[in-house]
Amino acid sequence: MDHIIPSNMGECYDDEVKQYLLELEKAGFIVDSIENYLPSCPACNIVKNNRVYTSANLRFFHEKARVHVDEILKRIDALKAETKESFYEPVDTELWEELDFSYQRNISHAIMGYRLTPADVEACPKFPQVERIEKQLMIVDHVVVQGETGCGKSISVYQAAYDLHRKGWKVYRYKAIENLNVPMIPYNTEPSLYIIDDAQRLSEKAIEVITEQTRLNTKILFAKTISPAVQHDTILLTNKDAVKILHDNFLARKKEITPIVHQCDNQIGINFMDSPIERRLEGAEKAATPWQFNYILRGGWQTMKEQYQTICSHHDCGLLAAAIAVFQIVQLDNCVNYRWLCNCLRRVDSSLAWDDGDLQYLVSQKIVLSVDDVRIVHMESAKVIIAQFLQDASTEKKKMLYTAIETSFVEKEIMPLGLVWLCNGLLGYTFAYRHEETFINEKMISSALECLKDVETSHARAGIAFFMEKVFTVRYEKNGQWYLDKHETLLLDWIAHADSETAYAYSHLINTLFNTDKKRSPRFTQKVDWAQMIQSMMQERRPNLYAWGQLFNRLICSLPKQGDARIREMLCPMIVEMRSKTVVSNIAELSDFLCSIAHLAPTCVHETVRKLLPIYREYFKKDMIHAIYLFNFKFFLYICGMSLLGGHRATKEERETAAALVEVLPVAEFAPQFQIVFRGIGKAFMKSCVLWDNMTDRKLRKLSPQLT
């Protein structure tokens, strides 16, 4: 909207305009009123600025506006009424798919380890993280749910969306998977939730641009896969908790579960000599993730081995499936271009000739999702197939796959971060502990690290840092450590100009240097431009304080003792400035950051926590479940001064801070939530009581007050 008569009008020299303005003034005309508004495109608005029309034009536009006043007032009244009149701007159906959750299937899809979709929301047990996602969406307008593959984030995102859908929200999913850019979100008064899956292929900057489009009635939910050794796991539920929930839920539904598992593994059943489902569930309860729980439940390695051996007998599809799995992972769980992949392998060996029939065969065998989405049914399944291939395939065939990876990497068709994902992903699936020298050779290291001056984007720099850390100690002459020495000046500049996307990657690199070379580490850290690095963080509009905290923490731990005081002088003013910007929505992030640097600037940190007590009080009242998660190991140790590992005696500052925090806890609301959190712990605790039988009465008496 533009003002017909500018609200910040300059001096007027036109006599006719002066006369007209005088008339309006006598009539009680208000500049900020419907009669003085007209629609205007941004370009015209900028051109007009605060210029004044001629009196004839002013009269013309004011008369036009007056004609519509009654209609506009009616519309305003309608919007204020209980039955609000809303407007709807259609979404781009080429980019967005509306989800109505009308089709639902049974639990078999989850047990088989396939990607879970909106069709699985009713069959799958609901994790507590779903409620937390919904609560967070009520506080802020976007949530990023991230975690490693198989941890249950996708189904949790869809279940949260399903709950909102049943409350009247429209739900849309971004479907431009192949070219994940920055989509535009329509602005509607109709409540709408937008889901963007596979957000790991978006940069932090792109996510920030998308989140800026959120509004009260327009919310965005991101699902982001991360490698467990690449970023912190911020999934809203620990994997072991999720596995326990699955075990209890499936045990209660064993009549429904048993026939499904029997189809995968006929040793499980209810007939004579069959193994009972309870025994398999007991084994599955030891799994590390929800996906692995279902993997063990349906027969585990033996079932996958049989499935893999079946496809190996068909036109060398074992190598084809392994290649699809590898390139899916190195492209960060992206769809693979089938024709490109076939040509890539044919360049290695011209006898390798697959056609559309082979792809259709893999789809029919439930190995690949579809001919349009060429990915293994789940990324965890992809890791199992690669591990099986490395175990069973001939040396010649493995060399074919290695050569295809090398060629694609050197030609920049896959990025360094993709190889980090591949090496990290196979941990636990093969007997080899380190896979760096399996998939990465000297030529590839040189290709990635020889020339770094042209690496400009944050996403690419983070990938280089993770890659350098991954090859830091490989048994080549020119490894990551060699290139760290070569590019020291450049890397120091990168660290000084870090951002939220690169900070965590640099912290990993510093940590690896610290662990491998205690003498080299302080010399490198001493050269960091701390003033510039602090300025880089403070210039960010929404800094990721967890990532920055990790970087500061690793650098501080590597500092020589004589450098502590200088850095402390820089940190304290920064903490004071951050304190002034703290609200309920970022208090948890700030708390984590303060824990990371507490041992260098304890006085400033504790003073900050005590000054933020009103915000902590509000946080506990507004979002109790989230607030409980403040009390992690670091918070207890560095803020409350608890001796969790022995040998630490609480300081006066720590005792004062802990006492002050206790005072702001709303005890009546706090206790029931702790009861929920610790119910599962209590069950395990009771099982361990048998270990106390041999304890003396004196030891038990000493322990009693702590237990109370």
Side-chain angles (χ1 to χ4, degrees):
M1 301 300 295
D2 188 23
H3 288 86
I4 299 170
I5 297 175
S7 57
N8 59 340
M9 185 177 65
E11 189 173 350
C12 178
Y13 300 100
D14 188 299
D15 290 338
E16 291 186 359
V17 171
K18 287 181 180 178
Q19 182 59 38
Y20 180 61
L21 293 176
L22 190 59
E23 290 177 23
L24 293 176
E25 186 179 350
K26 290 179 179 178
F29 185 83
I30 300 172
V31 174
D32 282 317
S33 67
I34 296 172
E35 292 183 341
N36 197 40
Y37 291 153
L38 83 167
S40 175
C41 71
C44 292
N45 197 349
I46 291 170
V47 171
K48 176 178 177 287
N49 201 359
N50 64 348
R51 290 190 299 113
V52 182
Y53 295 121
T54 64
S55 62
N57 282 336
L58 289 174
R59 292 180 187 277
F60 172 79
F61 283 124
H62 280 149
E63 189 56 40
K64 280 283 186 181
R66 285 192 193 100
V67 171
H68 297 290
V69 167
D70 289 341
E71 181 186 352
I72 291 170
L73 289 173
K74 286 179 182 177
R75 292 196 180 193
I76 290 173
D77 288 338
L79 288 170
K80 289 179 178 178
E82 287 186 9
T83 55
K84 291 183 178 178
E85 177 183 335
S86 62
F87 68 90
Y88 174 72
E89 180 182 333
V91 300
D92 185 346
T93 54
E94 293 294 318
L95 298 178
W96 298 100
E97 167 193 12
E98 184 173 355
L99 305 179
D100 62 7
F101 301 94
S102 57
Y103 170 60
Q104 293 295 311
R105 54 191 166 210
N106 65 16
I107 196 66
S108 60
H109 208 70
I111 293 175
M112 289 302 296
Y114 298 154
R115 290 173 182 271
L116 299 179
T117 72
D120 302 298
V121 294
E122 291 185 352
C124 291
K126 187 181 289 188
F127 299 146
Q129 70 196 73
V130 175
E131 183 183 353
R132 297 190 65 199
I133 292 170
E134 293 174 27
K135 283 197 171 186
Q136 191 72 356
L137 280 173
M138 295 303 105
I139 299 170
V140 294
D141 295 330
H142 77 278
V143 173
V144 181
V145 180
Q146 60 183 7
E148 57 189 278
T149 56
C151 67
K153 63 186 176 303
S154 292
I155 189 61
S156 298
V157 164
Y158 288 128
Q159 286 175 331
Y162 181 49
D163 287 345
L164 287 179
H165 175 73
R166 290 190 294 180
K167 295 175 183 176
W169 286 68
K170 292 278 189 179
V171 178
Y172 302 94
R173 177 174 58 182
Y174 192 58
K175 62 182 182 180
I177 300 300
E178 297 79 15
N179 302 299
L180 196 58
N181 296 314
V182 180
M184 296 305 296
I185 311 295
Y187 175 49
N188 296 312
T189 56
E190 180 183 54
S192 304
L193 174 67
Y194 295 85
I195 298 173
I196 299 181
D197 208 344
D198 292 322
Q200 67 274 5
R201 284 180 275 128
L202 285 171
S203 68
E204 293 293 331
K205 182 65 177 176
I207 291 178
E208 184 179 327
V209 171
I210 296 170
T211 57
E212 286 174 353
Q213 302 178 52
T214 60
R215 292 167 289 274
L216 184 63
N217 277 351
T218 305
K219 298 181 183 291
I220 302 177
L221 201 46
F222 298 92
K224 186 176 181 182
T225 301
I226 58 174
S227 173
V230 167
Q231 287 197 28
H232 62 289
D233 187 353
T234 58
I235 195 69
L236 303 178
L237 174 76
T238 66
N239 284 329
K240 293 306 296 181
D241 286 343
V243 167
K244 184 72 172 76
I245 290 169
L246 282 176
H247 172 271
D248 294 347
N249 182 273
F250 282 17
L251 187 61
R253 299 163 61 183
K254 62 183 181 182
K255 289 184 179 179
E256 174 191 358
I257 301 297
T258 302
I260 298 171
V261 176
H262 181 77
Q263 292 178 27
C264 306
D265 183 358
N266 56 20
Q267 295 180 9
I268 300 298
I270 58 174
N271 298 319
F272 181 67
M273 297 297 290
D274 286 346
S275 293
I277 190 68
E278 290 88 347
R279 186 174 300 170
R280 182 62 61 82
L281 284 168
E282 188 177 333
E285 193 176 10
K286 300 173 184 176
T289 67
W291 187 91
Q292 289 179 6
F293 176 91
N294 287 315
Y295 173 65
I296 295 170
L297 184 63
R298 64 179 182 269
W301 182 269
Q302 185 59 38
T303 303
M304 181 59 76
K305 185 176 181 179
E306 293 171 1
Q307 199 174 5
Y308 174 78
Q309 289 172 344
T310 299
I311 64 172
C312 284
S313 61
H314 179 89
H315 203 188
D316 219 359
C317 279
L319 173 59
L320 178 59
I324 292 173
V326 164
F327 282 92
Q328 171 185 339
I329 293 174
V330 297
Q331 293 173 11
L332 311 188
D333 200 17
N334 197 2
C335 174
V336 177
N337 185 316
Y338 179 66
R339 299 199 183 284
W340 169 84
L341 179 63
C342 291
N343 290 333
C344 182
L345 288 164
R346 198 174 291 120
R347 281 185 292 172
V348 177
D349 186 335
S350 58
S351 67
L352 297 173
W354 293 293
D355 56 24
D356 292 343
D358 298 303
L359 177 60
Q360 187 61 58
Y361 172 76
L362 290 177
V363 173
S364 67
Q365 292 297 310
K366 307 295 186 185
I367 298 293
V368 171
L369 281 172
S370 72
V371 293
D372 298 317
D373 190 358
V374 184
R375 287 187 287 178
I376 305 301
V377 292
H378 193 284
M379 203 158 89
E380 293 296 306
S381 300
K383 297 172 187 176
V384 173
I385 286 173
I386 297 169
Q388 189 70 60
F389 175 81
L390 294 178
Q391 177 178 299
D392 294 350
S394 65
T395 302
E396 181 186 359
K397 287 184 179 178
K398 283 190 276 192
K399 282 184 178 178
M400 292 178 188
L401 183 58
Y402 299 155
T403 304
I405 295 170
E406 178 195 299
T407 303
S408 301
F409 186 81
V410 171
E411 294 179 358
K412 310 297 183 187
E413 291 169 330
I414 55 179
M415 295 295 103
L417 185 60
L419 282 179
V420 175
W421 274 48
L422 180 62
C423 295
N424 290 340
L426 292 179
L427 294 173
Y429 285 99
T430 66
F431 292 110
Y433 175 67
R434 292 170 62 88
H435 297 278
E436 289 79 358
E437 292 177 22
T438 302
F439 296 106
I440 306 173
N441 57 35
E442 286 184 275
K443 183 178 179 181
M444 297 165 71
I445 295 173
S446 174
S447 170
L449 302 180
E450 193 63 43
C451 183
L452 298 184
K453 60 182 177 61
D454 298 326
V455 181
E456 296 181 349
T457 68
S458 296
H459 187 68
R461 288 181 178 182
I464 289 292
F466 284 127
F467 182 79
M468 187 178 288
E469 182 229 350
K470 185 56 62 178
V471 298
F472 209 75
T473 56
V474 293
R475 290 168 294 183
Y476 304 134
E477 180 186 352
K478 294 183 178 181
N479 57 14
Q481 193 164 6
W482 190 90
Y483 282 104
L484 179 72
D485 291 335
K486 176 180 178 178
H487 299 298
E488 182 183 87
T489 303
L490 179 64
L491 291 170
L492 285 168
D493 184 67
W494 283 12
I495 292 171
H497 294 87
D499 57 25
S500 290
E501 191 162 6
T502 57
Y504 195 78
Y506 298 156
S507 76
H508 260 248
L509 187 59
I510 298 297
N511 190 59
T512 301
L513 175 62
F514 177 78
N515 289 333
T516 54
D517 193 339
K518 293 286 193 297
K519 293 181 179 178
R520 173 91 172 80
S521 176
R523 292 201 302 270
F524 180 86
T525 308
Q526 229 173 352
K527 297 175 185 177
V528 171
D529 187 345
W530 279 82
Q532 176 58 56
M533 186 174 65
I534 291 171
Q535 183 182 349
S536 297
M537 188 186 84
M538 299 306 290
Q539 284 176 342
E540 285 197 304
R541 196 162 63 86
R542 293 179 184 172
N544 182 334
L545 294 182
Y546 179 91
W548 280 103
Q550 291 298 301
L551 177 58
F552 277 60
N553 181 271
R554 295 298 85 200
L555 287 170
I556 289 169
C557 289
S558 302
L559 274 175
K561 291 298 180 185
Q562 58 269 28
D564 284 3
R566 181 177 64 89
I567 305 305
R568 190 182 302 112
E569 289 177 5
M570 297 184 195
L571 287 178
C572 289
M574 177 195 73
I575 294 171
V576 172
E577 184 177 346
M578 292 169 68
R579 187 168 72 203
S580 65
K581 300 176 182 177
T582 304
V583 292
V584 170
S585 61
N586 64 3
I587 186 69
E589 263 195 287
L590 179 67
S591 299
D592 193 278
F593 180 83
L594 293 174
C595 291
S596 298
I597 63 171
H599 56 288
L600 182 63
T603 301
C604 187
V605 166
H606 283 278
E607 181 184 341
T608 295
V609 172
R610 290 195 289 270
K611 285 187 178 295
L612 293 175
L613 287 175
I615 298 177
Y616 280 110
R617 178 184 284 109
E618 186 182 353
Y619 185 42
F620 280 112
K621 288 183 178 179
K622 194 169 185 179
D623 190 9
M624 177 67 70
I625 294 178
H626 255 107
I628 287 175
Y629 282 80
L630 279 176
F631 296 108
N632 56 21
F633 178 87
K634 288 198 299 183
F635 195 87
F636 276 136
L637 185 63
Y638 294 113
I639 304 301
C640 300
M642 293 183 68
S643 180
L644 299 176
L645 298 177
H648 176 73
R649 182 168 293 180
T651 65
K652 181 181 178 183
E653 286 177 331
E654 290 168 346
R655 288 195 297 270
E656 288 177 359
T657 302
L661 280 166
V662 170
E663 289 300 317
V664 303
L665 297 180
V667 179
E669 297 85 4
F670 196 66
Q673 294 296 342
F674 253 100
Q675 184 181 5
I676 295 169
V677 171
F678 284 107
R679 189 172 291 143
I681 297 174
K683 291 178 182 178
F685 180 74
M686 293 304 294
K687 290 179 183 178
S688 68
C689 285
V690 294
L691 299 175
W692 296 359
D693 287 346
N694 297 326
M695 296 180 74
T696 65
D697 289 342
R698 180 177 57 81
K699 288 182 179 178
L700 281 172
R701 283 197 300 272
K702 186 177 180 182
L703 190 60
S704 180
Q706 297 176 42
L707 295 178
T708 305

